[in-house]
Amino acid sequence: MSADEETPLLAQSTDEDQEVSSRTARTPLPWRQFSILLALQLVEPLTSQVIAPFLPQLIREIGITNGDESQVGYYVGLMHSLFFVTEACTIFHWSRLSDRIGRKPVLLIGIFGLSLSMYCFGLSKTFWGLVISRCLNGALNGNVGIMKSMIGELTDSTNIAHAFSFLPSTWYLGATTGPLIGGLLERPAEKFPGIFGNSTFLKEYPYFLPCSVPATTAAVFWLVGFFFLKETAKPQMTPMEYFFGRWRKFKASGHSSPVVEDDSLTCTRESPVPFRELLVAPVLVAAGSYASFALLDMAFRTVFPVYLSTPITMGGLGLNPSVIGTILALTGLGNGVFQILFFARLHDWLGAKILFLVTSLSFLPGIVLLPIINRVAQVYGLNRLIWLLFGIQILLTMFANFSFGVIFIYINASAPNRASIGATNGIAQMIVSVMRAIAPAAVNSAFSLSIQKHIMGGYFAYWLMVGMVCITVGVVSLLPVKPRNV
């Protein structure tokens, strides 16, 4: 660089210069801890998506529908909803607890719960066994909000978009692998008689093998988290103090626990705000945007396997579990790759709010393609045009799911302070869990009613999802143009 007598000794930076600098000077991600978090985050989509290819067939086999094909959608939707109903009842408390005793202990409890519940699901041979397993899965799992809190604590405003581009990608990696495992390993004694044909156990429990793979993966990752994951929050107390009430005893006696606070932190630490102070406009709008989009996304994702397995004459495509698993796996793989390659760039180019609006609207043509693909199949069968339309639909869903990365940024940015990030994510995830509990039951019931009653020309479920798109766009329009920094 050249300088002369007219060069100022102190360069005066303009707002524009600062803005450019903030965009280019990105803080490196702490990859060691961040990679462990991504590995732990993989457990949930593995455990949730592994059942998708064989769940309709499992519902038929346990006899709850009494051979009525139109009832399958009801019970598939119920199985998906049960997880989110129980999660909605507990997830805020898990997230709030993580603000008190730290993220790591609560995260490990959740991973243990996922592993245990999947072993139970694979061993279930009755409807009520499946119900209890799914409820256990949801009740013990508070990981979703906690992981987002931890990523928010590991990053800053320069690299948070880059970090959150990996979070959906990891989820979709699990969403890719899960259906492949479920579709390929269900009924292994029949599919692979040379390997499993002599196994009486796998003949008795034909869905245990695909369930045991993510369950065992969760157990291994639990060990990784226990030994190598570092705490990102500053716990106010130990888990033992919390669960045995020592905190209340110290407060009542007017003493302060040396484990909870030390003198060096008293003046600098922030404390989690009360629940009432979380119910403010920034939190509610961000949580509402997340909830409305999650309602739409969950509705589409849960009706899609049912649509694929339903006979062509009844409005679906009549595909078997292996093909369904492959389609879901390819969709998940494409989503993961798209998130890593394009999310941060699109976020920087369009801005958070515009990207959220555009990606939400892209669900519309994806929904419209469902009846169109069925109509083509009725006329021409499963030809190349069907797979071309599927490719277009998958691309649209990939683009739509960029919304998740955006809303995760908004949720963390809406927290009243950094000490309340866990509670903020918890309250958002609680609302989202309610929506995700409603969506499968609502849309799959609408799909079954469309078959039984031919409501709205047999397209009742699709019109319902179009309405969800409109609600999502309306709520998202209330978000600020840019998320604020916490």
Side-chain angles (χ1 to χ4, degrees), residues 31 62 67 70 164 211 221 344 361:
W31 280 108
I62 62 176
S70 66
F164 275 122
C211 291
F221 283 174
L361 283 169

Side-chain angles (χ1 to χ4, degrees), residues 92-93 125 313 357:
F92 175 76
H93 301 288
K125 296 185 65 177
T313 56
L357 287 170

